Amino acid sequence: MSGSDVNINIHHVTRVEGHGNIVVDVKNGELKEIKLEIVESPRFFEAMVVGRRFSEAVHITSRICGICAVSHTNASIKSVEDALGIKPTWQTETLRRILAAAEVIDSHALHAFFLAAPDFVRLPSVIPLIGKSPEIVKIAVNMKKLSHDICDVIAGRHTHPISMAVDGFTNLVSEEQMHDLQAKIKQTLENDVPKAVEFFSKLKIPWFERRTDYVCLTHPGEYAFYDGTIKSSETGEYRHRDYKLKIAERVVDHSTAKHTYGPVKPYMVGALSRFNNNYDQLTPQAKEAAGELKLTPQNHNPYYITLAQLVEIVHCLEWSAGLIEELLSRGIKDEREERPPISGWSVNLPDVKKSWGVGVTEAPRGLLIHEYRIDDNGLIDSANCITPTAQNLANIESDMRKLVPEIIREPKDEIELLLEMLVRAYDPCISCSAHILKVNFVE
Amino acid sequence: MKSYLVSKGDFLELIDGMIENGKEVVAPVKQENQANFKRIKSTKDILWSGPQTVISPKGFVFPQEEELIEYEVEDGIWVGSKVEAKSTVLLGIHPCDINGIALLDKVFAEKNLDENYLKKRESATIIGVECLTPCSPESFCYRKGSVLPWDGFDLFLTDVGDDFFVEVGSEAGKTLISGISRKTIQSDAKKLKKIREKRDNLFAKKQRKLKPKLEELPKLLKENYDSPIWDERGAKCFGCGSCNMVCPTCYCFDVRDCVEINLKKGSRSRFWDGCMLTDFTRIASGEIFREERGARLRHRTNRKDFYLFEKWGRTFCTGCGRCGKACLTKIVDPLDIENELYGRKGRR
Amino acid sequence: MTVYKPEIAKIKKVEQLTKTERLFDIELLSGKSLDHQPGQFVEVYVFGVGEAPISISSEPSKQPTFQLCVRAVGNVTNALHNKRAGEKIGIRGPYGKGFEYEYFIGKDILFIAGGLGLAPLRSFIRAVLNSRGDYGKVYILYGARRPQELLFRDELKEWEARKDVEYHATVDVGDETWQGNVGVITTLFPDIRFDPRKTQAIIIGPPVMYRFVINELKNRRVPDENIWISLERKMKCGVGKCGHCQINNVYVCQEGPVFNYKQIKSLPEAI
Amino acid sequence: MEKPKVAFFEFTCCEGCQLTVLSLGDKLLDLFESVDVVNFREASSYRGQDYEIAFIEGSISTSKDIDRIREIRKKAKICVALGSCAHIAGVNAIKNFHNQLEVKKRVYGEKAWAFDSILAQPIDAVIKVDYVIPGCPIDKKEFLCVAASISNGVRPFIPEYSVCVECKMKGNVCVYHKPNPIVCMGPITRAGCGAACPSVGNACEGCRGLVSDPNLEAYEGVLEEHGISADDKMRFYRMYNGLVGGVK
Ligand SMILES: Cc1cc2nc3c(=O)[nH]c(=O)nc-3n(C[C@H](O)[C@H](O)[C@H](O)COP(=O)(O)OP(=O)(O)OC[C@H]3O[C@@H](n4cnc5c(N)ncnc54)[C@H](O)[C@@H]3O)c2cc1C
Ligand code: SF4
Ligand code: SF4
Ligand code: SF4
């Protein structure tokens, strides 16, 4: 029906991290305005780390986000190590990879089961879902518990990991603990994964397509989460230190989160980008799950992000089981005496020269970049941090711009639901994105 | 009691066999640059000498947190006392800690029997080991007459080369080694005596001296009740309680309830507490009976070497030195305090 | 059954005495009598909340019921105030040393109670009044902050009316209804005459009260061994283990709460 | 017995404390069964306005926050500060010690003026807070105990003693005593976390706030002894305890 007016204002989108509003204004059938307002209070992390010693940034920037704290920690540490020219040991990096995998499992399980799934069965939250599909909720609880167990053992806890430090860990895991974790992971793969895949394969996913630029890390040896070079499906690969040539941040009026643009246009990061770009490197069981979910590479429907997350859960389970296997076969060593981890408040810190570094990693929601400049006293004199949700915001708005005309004939609450579901599909971590750091570097 | 000789190999084999059969064996193992008591998988893990454990083994008979009662309140009320004890071997326990446990034995068996402690204690087999070198610069067990156990062990081992010289402290201990032991003869006793003489000399040389006589400590502390030393040292005290937690003879506890979120089930547990902590004596009206940290330090010291010493006829500080190490502001060490009091007094 | 397990008891009756104090009639489900001495206390357990030491307010008896007078000040005591007749609580005890009343037989007794101190003292007062003939002269001095805060008002009237008891009360702050003495408890002393050597003075009240009252008694030449007090300390176990109630070398829950002044005079931490 | 009605709200923070609640595992299901969660934006679209207990996460850091939290206080019988940000302003307060305009400019450049931001404050700077669950993030076990106590009508137990107590109970080697020592705020920080950080070899950074009577003078003596400069010391305090009285 052309000529209609639609006015949508969804205040504080629920079941996402942080505060965001969706505003749609259609006058006489013509789209006047569409935006995703980010109203989260700004937090100024980039400014907060200025004047801090390089080793202290980790525990501050971890507090950017409660859900992807491991990823922020990894990015922060990697940025410092990049600046200082430190190459951590294989054991350290393997443990970090396992933690990254655990975080993906936790975050995706939270999103797919607790936050997104209720939409598909038209429930307001996971609480009534407990009564309706107790088994599914239980699976999510198990998966979350598993990933928390992994993080507890390796890093002390999941939200704001403790023992991860520059060049190592301040604690030492035992082989017994790792054996236990491995057994639990295998159980989950065996018992929970098939049921979860079956549940999601039956959900009806809204149909909508918009091809965009898919951006993520890529690594020759693995489906990249922890490390790699940045890959754009449209413009190719580039080194982490060159990110600024490709990504531009822009402050927009309606958002306390800055928007980012690729060299040409908005782009997407996160599970679907990784899936599209790195499909070949998924583990066998993950590929199998993708098959069952009818998810094939070069998928352009953002509502499918949730399914790509499920595939990644399976991948991360299998991947981390493999990593633990390798860790155990090499034997776990106490490396702390020889290579003392540089924790924030170490009494003896190494001398540092003026330097800069960039740390990139894949958070559950996509590419995460930390960049620090360190002065001659070892103090940080500027920082930049680009979170995945910030990178997705412009892309979400582009999706909405294409979607609204397609569904304009639907009843208003259906439009609202589809828009909310679209935003939720990106699993935006708004608390994260509002902590965006500096635009201009002090050059 | 009698003494025996057991070859080290036989003894370790015996223990490993017990572990294999599922017996819980706890012993000191290395933990970074110190040590701790842990359940071991093999006697290879045991740290026979070397750095001292951070805390004493008292937690195995008097746990950090222990449920005393549990209850349910669904249609009617049900309360049950909870006494858990699992048969455990505490192996490689140093004399200072054996003596610590021996003191706790007295306290918990006094008048109102504390079955939670006593049952755990009965289920524990204590196999001590003699220290032939001081375990830390802070320890002063020799000065407290605590280089040998007073009581409270089942077996006590001394390394005499290829064998352990084993003193038997209980029937259970005797039975344990009955298959592998042989009676000692005079030359063995002589050998032991020599080793101990050497040990005494070494400890006398290495450990800090206690200037007042051991048996005069109660009197010294009594006379110095109002000494300024308490406030001087108290000014530097955090009231952090580390000194209480690490001590083998501190046994004060708090009791708290914990209910499940559904409010139907709950339990009441005890937790280690310490007289150095601010709220230790605070009552509902807000009054704190030992408000000054100096007064708390005095109370702690007096408990060790005055009140309980007088009451039980034995020092309640076995000289393990843990509190002196744990205290970051270096004020709590009883030997230090007593020497300072002694120096200020009389010999002025 | 360990020393830490409470016996289940039932609240039979609850009576509001003042704004903050309630009197509970309690009966052990086992039907046994508590068999206590005046001055002893029990550990009262409110399920899911915790325990508090509370003095037994009723006189010793062979009956299964006893009374506790409780002021609501914190978690346990507030929770107790929320309980109604018929509800169940836990009881451990009786604990501590109370007054051995054989010792007091034939002697003159001067009871001095401040505020909530009357709760434990009442147990002894009632025991004495029940066999009044066994004792010499009996004096009761009682002080509260305000008239509304006086406990057991009906009983106070009885005591006042009795010829064989010399009863005096005072409040710190009076009001229009109050016709008695106004002032702290020591202001009652000039009114009474007693023979210091024959009189046993028994004081229970807030910690601050002890020093002044003992001073007054000393002025009247009451020997130390004729003075008795009951001390309050934080308690967690009631059985001489947890360490909280220790005053120098003395565990209040074991050697107290009732002490002879001579015994604790030498304890710097006592008063 | 009627189930208590519970709501969760967040102000400036990382929402890690609410996530900790969502990560309670089996206990989460018990919680949902035992209380009536009427408002939990992070987990539910339902937004009930009728609640008794409000768990409030995050600091006050914009002028709009002030009005919003006052509204919450009006509706709730009991307000609980959830986590460091609400309790002591958490890491948010780090920015308080920078030049405020500079801070905004660093992040938002020329458009800095458009962003509403005031000094970060703990919520008790604006409303009366009944109870606090300290920590960054909160401890799961402690949250459950406190939640149970509150629904039981009991003042929850939050330790008054220091982190050293729990650290020692665990038998940890003190980080000051390690071959590569780390300075630790344990002796003056309120316990309840089970000494989470020192137990995995790192420093206590004071996220639970200081004990009620911290001996700062003695503490600074220890820092000095370990060669910690005055600047280092201030940064250390200003991880979490920059706003605490007595810290100079
Ligand atoms: C021997 C003795 C007799 C007592 N008799 C009475 C009485 O008859 N009536 C009465 O109303 N009160 C009496 N009290 C005081 C009463 O025990 C406290 O008011 C009560 O413990 C406060 O507990 P709560 O849980 O309500 O307060 P909270 O402040 O929540 O206290 C927590 C816990 O600390 C301990 N504690 C706190 N204050 C005290 C205290 N004053 N004494 C001992 N332990 C404390 C208790 O274990 C208590 O459960 C007596 C105390 C003692 C030692
Ligand atoms: S007081 Fe100190 S030295 Fe003595 S036994 Fe206790 S911890 Fe050891
Ligand atoms: S004496 Fe030392 S260890 Fe003991 S409480 Fe005081 S500061 Fe802590
Ligand atoms: S590591 Fe920290 S918390 Fe633990 S004992 Fe040492 S100072 Fe205390």
Side-chain angles (χ1 to χ4, degrees), chain D residues 173-201:
Chain D
V173 176
C174 177
V175 296
Y176 283 100
H177 292 148
K178 296 198 178 184
N180 290 291
I182 306 178
V183 299
C184 176
M185 221 156 178
I188 52 170
T189 300
R190 186 181 296 275
C193 53
C197 299
S199 297
V200 289

Coordinates of all heavy atoms in Angstrom, one line a residue, chain D residues 173-201:
Chain D
V173 N 50.6 -19.0 47.5 CA 51.9 -18.3 47.7 C 51.5 -16.8 47.5 O 51.0 -16.4 46.5 CB 53.0 -18.7 46.8 CG1 54.2 -17.9 47.0 CG2 53.3 -20.2 46.9
C174 N 51.8 -16.0 48.5 CA 51.5 -14.5 48.4 C 52.3 -14.0 47.2 O 53.5 -14.3 47.0 CB 52.0 -13.8 49.7 SG 51.7 -12.1 49.7
V175 N 51.6 -13.2 46.4 CA 52.3 -12.6 45.2 C 53.5 -11.7 45.6 O 54.4 -11.6 44.7 CB 51.4 -11.9 44.2 CG1 50.3 -12.9 43.7 CG2 50.7 -10.7 44.9
Y176 N 53.5 -11.2 46.7 CA 54.7 -10.4 47.2 C 55.9 -11.3 47.4 O 57.0 -10.9 47.5 CB 54.4 -9.7 48.5 CG 53.5 -8.5 48.4 CD1 52.2 -8.5 48.7 CD2 54.1 -7.2 48.0 CE1 51.4 -7.4 48.6 CE2 53.3 -6.1 47.9 CZ 51.9 -6.2 48.2 OH 51.2 -5.0 48.1
H177 N 55.6 -12.6 47.6 CA 56.7 -13.5 47.9 C 57.2 -14.4 46.8 O 58.0 -15.3 46.9 CB 56.3 -14.5 49.1 CG 56.1 -13.8 50.4 ND1 55.1 -14.2 51.3 CD2 56.7 -12.7 50.9 CE1 55.1 -13.3 52.3 NE2 56.1 -12.4 52.1
K178 N 56.7 -14.1 45.6 CA 57.1 -14.9 44.4 C 58.4 -14.4 43.9 O 58.8 -13.3 44.1 CB 56.0 -14.8 43.4 CG 54.7 -15.4 43.9 CD 53.7 -15.7 42.8 CE 52.5 -16.4 43.4 NZ 51.6 -16.8 42.4
P179 N 59.0 -15.2 43.1 CA 60.3 -14.8 42.5 C 60.1 -13.5 41.7 O 61.1 -12.7 41.6 CB 60.7 -16.0 41.5 CG 59.8 -17.1 41.9 CD 58.6 -16.6 42.6
N180 N 59.0 -13.4 41.0 CA 58.7 -12.1 40.3 C 57.6 -11.4 41.0 O 56.4 -11.6 40.6 CB 58.4 -12.4 38.9 CG 59.6 -12.8 38.1 OD1 60.5 -12.1 37.9 ND2 59.6 -14.1 37.7
P181 N 57.9 -10.7 42.1 CA 56.8 -10.2 42.9 C 55.9 -9.2 42.2 O 56.3 -8.6 41.2 CB 57.5 -9.4 44.0 CG 59.0 -9.6 43.8 CD 59.2 -10.3 42.5
I182 N 54.6 -9.2 42.6 CA 53.6 -8.3 42.1 C 53.0 -7.6 43.3 O 52.9 -8.2 44.4 CB 52.5 -9.1 41.4 CG1 53.1 -10.1 40.3 CG2 51.5 -8.2 40.8 CD1 52.0 -10.9 39.7
V183 N 52.7 -6.3 43.2 CA 52.1 -5.7 44.3 C 50.6 -5.9 44.3 O 50.0 -6.0 43.3 CB 52.4 -4.2 44.4 CG1 53.9 -3.9 44.5 CG2 51.8 -3.4 43.2
C184 N 50.1 -6.1 45.5 CA 48.7 -6.7 45.6 C 48.0 -5.8 46.6 O 48.5 -5.3 47.6 CB 48.8 -8.1 46.2 SG 47.3 -8.9 46.5
M185 N 46.7 -5.5 46.4 CA 45.9 -4.7 47.2 C 45.1 -5.5 48.3 O 44.3 -5.0 49.0 CB 45.0 -3.9 46.4 CG 44.8 -2.5 46.9 SD 44.3 -1.5 45.5 CE 44.2 0.1 46.2
G186 N 45.4 -6.8 48.3 CA 44.7 -7.7 49.2 C 44.6 -7.3 50.6 O 43.5 -7.4 51.2
P187 N 45.7 -6.8 51.2 CA 45.6 -6.5 52.7 C 44.6 -5.4 53.0 O 44.2 -5.3 54.2 CB 47.0 -6.0 53.0 CG 47.9 -6.5 51.9 CD 47.0 -6.6 50.7
I188 N 44.2 -4.6 52.1 CA 43.3 -3.5 52.4 C 42.0 -3.6 51.6 O 41.1 -2.7 51.7 CB 43.9 -2.1 52.2 CG1 44.5 -2.0 50.8 CG2 45.0 -1.8 53.2 CD1 44.9 -0.5 50.4
T189 N 41.8 -4.7 50.9 CA 40.6 -4.8 50.1 C 39.6 -5.8 50.7 O 40.0 -6.8 51.3 CB 41.0 -5.3 48.7 OG1 41.8 -4.4 48.1 CG2 39.7 -5.5 47.8
R190 N 38.3 -5.5 50.6 CA 37.3 -6.3 51.2 C 37.2 -7.6 50.5 O 37.2 -7.7 49.3 CB 36.0 -5.6 51.0 CG 34.8 -6.2 51.7 CD 33.6 -5.4 51.4 NE 33.7 -4.0 52.0 CZ 33.3 -3.8 53.3 NH1 32.9 -4.7 54.1 NH2 33.5 -2.5 53.8
A191 N 37.1 -8.7 51.3 CA 37.1 -10.0 50.7 C 35.7 -10.4 50.2 O 34.8 -9.6 50.3 CB 37.5 -11.1 51.7
G192 N 35.5 -11.6 49.8 CA 34.2 -12.1 49.3 C 34.3 -12.8 47.9 O 33.5 -13.5 47.5
C193 N 35.5 -12.5 47.3 CA 35.7 -13.0 45.9 C 36.4 -14.4 46.0 O 36.7 -15.0 44.9 CB 36.5 -12.1 45.1 SG 38.0 -11.6 46.0
G194 N 36.8 -14.8 47.2 CA 37.6 -16.0 47.3 C 39.0 -15.8 46.8 O 39.7 -16.7 46.3
A195 N 39.4 -14.5 46.9 CA 40.8 -14.2 46.5 C 41.0 -14.6 45.1 O 42.0 -15.2 44.7 CB 41.9 -14.7 47.4
A196 N 40.0 -14.2 44.2 CA 40.1 -14.7 42.8 C 41.4 -14.4 42.1 O 42.0 -15.3 41.5 CB 38.9 -14.1 42.0
C197 N 41.9 -13.2 42.3 CA 43.0 -12.8 41.5 C 44.3 -13.4 42.0 O 45.1 -14.0 41.2 CB 43.1 -11.3 41.4 SG 41.7 -10.6 40.5
P198 N 44.7 -13.2 43.3 CA 45.9 -13.8 43.8 C 45.9 -15.4 43.6 O 46.9 -16.0 43.4 CB 46.0 -13.5 45.2 CG 45.0 -12.5 45.5 CD 44.0 -12.4 44.3
S199 N 44.7 -16.0 43.6 CA 44.7 -17.4 43.5 C 45.1 -17.9 42.1 O 45.5 -19.1 41.9 CB 43.2 -17.9 43.7 OG 42.9 -17.6 45.0
V200 N 45.1 -17.0 41.1 CA 45.7 -17.4 39.8 C 46.9 -16.5 39.5 O 47.2 -16.3 38.4 CB 44.6 -17.3 38.6 CG1 43.7 -18.5 38.8 CG2 44.0 -16.0 38.6
G201 N 47.5 -16.1 40.6 CA 48.9 -15.5 40.4 C 48.9 -14.1 40.1 O 50.0 -13.5 39.8

